[in-house]
Amino acid sequence: MVINQKRLFHRLLEIGRIGMQEQGGITRLSYTKEEKEAKELLTYYMLDAGLEVRQDAVGNLIGRKEGGRSDAPVILTGSHFDTVPQGGMFDGVLGILAAIEVLQCMNEKRIETEHPIEVIAFVDEEGARFGFGMVGSRAISGKLRQEDLQFTDSQGIALAEAMRQAEFLPDNIADAAAESENIKAYIELHIEQGKVLENRNLPVGVVSGIAGHLWIDFRLIGESGHAGATPMKARRDPMTAAAKMISYIDEETKKYPNAVATIGKMSVLPGGVNVIPREVEFTIDLRDIDETVRNKIEENIVEYAQRICKEQNIELSLNTLQRVSPVKCSKAICDTIERACIETGQEIFTLISGAGHDGMQLKDFCPIGMIFIRSRGGVSHNADEWSSEDDCGVGADVLYHTILELAERV
């Protein structure tokens, strides 16, 4: 193994203490003191690796190893370092630390490449704070808009205001956009967050594509009333309509082999035990690797929801929060990863990603590729998320050889 596996894993454990919750898991939301603390530690690691470090206009942290031709397009690698509430230790940050480790090893071995290589630590991939994710990667690819900064957190703080509090200027977000001709490729190492590799007893896999996610907010308004004094036939209960819709979503999605649907958030007003609800709101996260299939499921769900609400005299409003197209990874980069697997003695195995990643925002910007490592039990977004030290090392080793070929060793 080329990389320093123990150093990599030590850093994973060290940064994993930032945002650690008493009840378990890690909470590192965007533009918070926990994010700032993690960014300071990542800066230290980048400097220790011999990289030139900078931040862009939205707070993405970037470490650069210069190439033999400074005007050559850069190889971009990394991931995100924010978490979901009470999330895990490996999601996102492994890709950053592994990339730093790769470049540190190259510098220690005095390896030069034609192309410069940059490690990027993206801000706010998860969307956990504002319900709007991939902020950093949207900014890099020029897709972040001023209107996107109006999304608010649970305290009513807008993304724009949170940026100001973190000493970034919302009016300057366009300055973070890169030029596509200046980036040769984006490659990311990530935990699988599923059981495919574990079920095949494999430490590493080549990602062929990323399923696109669709987030929709459903808001149902009926009529509040006394739970004991209102006859069943006289009710306009949005909860019964929501229950039918959620059951339909589950059954409809199961008809398609690669589709998944999740009801992640739900609120009921006024929320009394003995009160018929006035309003029910819930979200759906719908995903498939085939956008045509996903759109068909969406169409069926919306049609059913509208019919049920009409039958029960319930007012329905729908708000699309995010719509991200599925992404196919670059065949050329997949081939490069496969050669790296052979170089490191790993079996070549290809799989798709059900989870979304920052690379999705770069799909029309530059060729992308991903490497997965095994997740114990397929658990992620959870305090029990775990990947072994050996698997992290294998993944980083594959990343090393992949980047070395893409950057063209001198």
Side-chain angles (χ1 to χ4, degrees), residues 288-328:
D288 197 284
I289 193 67
D290 187 325
E291 190 165 17
T292 302
V293 171
R294 189 192 69 185
N295 291 347
K296 177 62 177 174
I297 300 171
E298 176 196 7
E299 180 183 326
N300 292 345
I301 290 170
V302 170
E303 182 179 309
Y304 180 84
Q306 290 171 338
R307 176 163 57 85
I308 289 298
C309 287
K310 183 177 181 180
E311 290 174 358
Q312 297 189 199
N313 195 19
I314 300 295
E315 180 184 334
L316 172 67
S317 64
L318 304 175
N319 180 26
T320 300
L321 304 176
Q322 288 199 54
R323 183 184 295 273
V324 180
S325 297
V327 174
K328 289 186 178 180

Side-chain angles (χ1 to χ4, degrees), residues 75 106 113-115 117 184 332-333 335-341 343 398-409:
I75 305 299
M106 287 185 183
T113 59
E114 281 290 322
H115 293 262
I117 308 167
K184 180 181 179 182
I333 297 180
D335 290 345
T336 304
I337 298 170
E338 289 181 0
R339 287 191 289 273
C341 287
E343 181 75 16
V398 172
L399 180 67
Y400 176 95
H401 290 280
T402 300
I403 291 176
L404 195 59
E405 180 175 332
L406 290 172
E408 302 175 27
R409 181 174 181 173

Side-chain angles (χ1 to χ4, degrees), residues 12 15 28 35 39 42 46 59-63 76-83 89-100 118-126 134-137 140 186-191 193 356-359 362 369-372 399 403:
L12 274 164
I15 201 167
R28 253 190 335 257
E35 181 198 66
K39 194 180 290 187
L42 288 172
M46 288 180 177
N60 291 321
L61 183 68
I62 304 165
L76 193 62
T77 181
S79 192
H80 65 97
F81 61 105
D82 63 317
T83 72
M89 190 178 73
F90 298 83
D91 182 4
V93 75
L94 169 65
I96 302 169
L97 295 179
I100 293 172
E118 290 186 348
V119 178
I120 183 163
F122 287 114
V123 296
D124 202 348
E125 185 260 11
E126 297 287 4
M134 302 186 183
V135 172
S137 50
I140 286 284
Y186 172 72
I187 177 75
E188 179 173 350
L189 175 68
H190 205 281
I191 58 171
Q193 302 175 286
H357 301 283
D358 282 307
L362 305 178
M370 288 197 73
I371 302 164
F372 271 173
L399 180 67
I403 291 176

Side-chain angles (χ1 to χ4, degrees), residues 100-168:
I100 293 172
E101 176 61 34
V102 164
L103 298 194
Q104 186 155 2
C105 286
M106 287 185 183
N107 281 335
E108 288 171 347
K109 298 176 185 299
R110 298 183 179 179
I111 291 175
E112 298 296 331
T113 59
E114 281 290 322
H115 293 262
I117 308 167
E118 290 186 348
V119 178
I120 183 163
F122 287 114
V123 296
D124 202 348
E125 185 260 11
E126 297 287 4
R129 181 177 178 186
F130 300 100
F132 178 79
M134 302 186 183
V135 172
S137 50
R138 290 177 196 268
I140 286 284
S141 58
K143 297 176 183 177
L144 188 64
R145 306 165 302 171
Q146 284 294 325
E147 51 263 44
D148 297 329
L149 307 187
Q150 303 311 308
F151 283 88
T152 58
D153 65 11
S154 60
Q155 305 301 312
I157 300 172
L159 175 53
E161 179 57 29
M163 290 179 67
R164 290 190 193 94
Q165 292 175 0
E167 300 182 347
F168 297 99

Side-chain angles (χ1 to χ4, degrees), residues 166-209:
E167 300 182 347
F168 297 99
L169 299 176
D171 290 343
N172 294 349
I173 59 173
D175 294 344
E179 298 292 336
S180 60
E181 59 267 26
N182 293 335
I183 299 179
K184 180 181 179 182
Y186 172 72
I187 177 75
E188 179 173 350
L189 175 68
H190 205 281
I191 58 171
E192 181 196 343
Q193 302 175 286
K195 298 181 181 180
V196 175
L197 290 174
E198 184 178 64
N199 289 342
R200 290 182 171 267
N201 195 29
L202 294 173
V204 68
V206 184
V207 179
S208 60

